[in-house]
Amino acid sequence: MSHFSQIKTKILNIECLQEALSDLGIGWKAGASQVRGYQGQTCTSELIIEQNNGYDIGFKWNGKEYVLVTDLQYWQQNLTVECFLRKVTQLYACKSILKETSKAGFQVVEQKNNADGSIRLVVERWSS
């Protein structure tokens, strides 16, 4: 029986996920690799976050979105799983918005991290 938990996300773009993790100071490895779990169990994921305890966190494509894959019993991050995913998802959303608005010809006018943890993002596009 597998000890791996799979937690749904709304993450669709691996590059934006990588940027978000990097901005949060979280080290990661890209490419299909094995997430290490309980008693040597493994699970293939497209992005791996190695933990010092030998049990990894992965993001695995399920055909629709990336799911977080890990053995929750060996979670070794400074934040709870929920807080970790909330921070990653928030920054991922910001990166996705910046990428898509840039494609549409918008430029960032203001990006501010507010005291309440929210991000204020203002973009504009000039037209003739």
Side-chain angles (χ1 to χ4, degrees), residues 42-54:
T42 60
C43 175
T44 303
S45 291
E46 286 69 30
L47 186 142
I48 305 282
I49 300 167
E50 293 181 338
Q51 299 188 112
N52 292 334
N53 64 2

Side-chain angles (χ1 to χ4, degrees), residues 22-37:
S22 293
D23 283 3
L24 290 169
I26 299 169
W28 51 270
K29 293 191 324 187
S33 298
Q34 298 297 312
V35 175
R36 301 170 298 170

